[in-house]
Amino acid sequence: MAAPAVEATVASALRSVILRARKAAEQVGRDPERVRVLPVSKTKPVSLIRQIYDAGHRCFGENYVQEIIDKAPQLPEDIEWHFVGHLQSNKAKTLLTGVPNLAMVHGVDGEKVANHLDRAVSNLGRHPLKVLVQVNTSGEVSKSGIEPSSVVELARHVKHHCPNLVFSGLMTIGMPDYTSTPENFRTLSNCRADVCKALGMAEDQFELSMGMSGDFELAIEMGSTNVRVGSTIFGPREYPKKTT
């Protein structure tokens, strides 16, 4: 259980992030209401999420399937959950079954995982699921996501061959030290233009998920509609110590 002082700090930190996000949007003439701030509580207790919920926030993100299916049942059903981590195709059914109020999956990086999600939505009889295609904009081998040159093909597959999914946009994870952030974000914006042209979609209705604690303001200035903010709100991650 987190201490009350920590919980108050978390709620205050979220308010600060939202104000910064609004200011970043307004500086480039964007509607701040088109930017969704997703607190990502990775490794943090449910009590901290509850504190933010009690302050009025309803959209949350998680990186790991096991963590989101553990946390979601302990929290109110009107939360809009976003899965923002890498999803293995064999975990699609587990994710959807465990989180009935899942609103969006940000990391679809291949036809296989898209097909598994589509089938799981159909089998569960739930409303269509919004998904974003993940793009590897940094060229790192360690990163999930498809190459920019393959984005249109995968987006077309989701849109035309996965009737239980709603293709809603693109997502990327930039370099961990943020050194190539502008280029990563620019690449995703270019991919958006390509997809919108190929599929006849309006850019102003297209979601972009890019930007985290270290670069979310720049991401918003460059068109992001979803920023995934963890440590700036919740503090440093707490991972179990490895035993040798």
Side-chain angles (χ1 to χ4, degrees):
M1 192 74 169
V6 175
E7 293 185 348
T9 302
V10 167
S12 175
L14 174 65
R15 284 194 294 271
S16 175
V17 167
I18 290 173
L19 287 172
R20 289 168 61 190
R22 293 185 68 88
K23 184 177 179 182
E26 289 166 352
Q27 282 182 335
V28 292
R30 294 187 59 205
D31 179 3
E33 299 302 319
R34 283 279 293 142
V35 179
R36 182 185 292 113
V37 174
L38 294 173
V40 181
S41 68
K42 188 166 57 175
T43 78
K44 298 297 183 176
V46 167
S47 60
L48 293 185
I49 303 175
R50 183 72 205 213
Q51 180 70 16
I52 291 176
Y53 175 90
D54 289 343
H57 203 72
R58 293 294 180 269
C59 302
F60 294 87
E62 285 297 339
N63 282 76
Y64 302 115
V65 172
Q66 190 58 50
E67 192 162 5
I68 194 172
I69 65 175
D70 286 344
K71 288 178 174 178
Q74 302 179 58
L75 291 157
E77 293 181 359
D78 64 337
I79 283 179
E80 180 183 297
W81 287 104
H82 291 242
F83 185 74
V84 301
H86 178 249
L87 180 63
Q88 295 174 298
S89 56
N90 63 353
K91 296 289 182 66
K93 182 180 178 181
T94 302
L95 174 64
L96 287 167
T97 303
V99 190
N101 48 333
L102 184 68
M104 186 182 289
V105 170
H106 288 226
V108 172
D109 62 356
E111 291 186 7
K112 185 178 179 181
V113 70
N115 294 341
H116 277 252
L117 280 170
D118 184 64
R119 190 156 52 245
V121 172
S122 177
N123 291 342
L124 290 168
R126 59 156 282 166
H127 57 83
L129 176 69
K130 292 182 178 180
V131 299
L132 305 180
V133 165
Q134 184 174 351
V135 186
N136 185 337
T137 56
S138 64
E140 295 171 276
V141 177
S142 61
K143 288 277 169 63
S144 300
I146 59 168
E147 295 298 314
S149 60
S150 302
V151 171
V152 170
E153 183 182 356
L154 180 54
R156 183 178 283 119
H157 175 81
V158 175
K159 189 170 176 64
H160 296 310
H161 299 286
C162 298
N164 301 291
L165 304 181
V166 180
F167 172 70
S168 301
L170 304 174
M171 175 263 212
T172 196
I173 300 172
M175 295 284 274
D177 60 359
Y178 306 116
T179 52
S180 65
T181 282
E183 289 78 9
N184 296 157
F185 293 167
R186 197 169 294 114
T187 296
L188 200 69
S189 296
N190 291 340
C191 288
R192 173 181 60 183
D194 293 342
V195 171
C196 286
K197 182 178 180 181
L199 301 185
M201 299 177 69
E203 286 196 22
D204 61 357
Q205 298 299 313
F206 197 93
E207 299 265 9
L208 287 184
S209 176
M210 60 186 193
M212 298 185 285
S213 286
D215 58 6
F216 71 88
E217 287 156 306
L218 177 60
I220 291 168
E221 291 172 11
M222 297 183 72
S224 181
T225 61
N226 296 269
V227 291
R228 312 177 302 270
V229 184
S231 57
T232 298
I233 296 171
F234 293 100
R237 306 302 188 196
E238 297 167 0
Y239 296 102
K241 291 181 180 178
K242 293 182 179 179
T243 56
T244 53

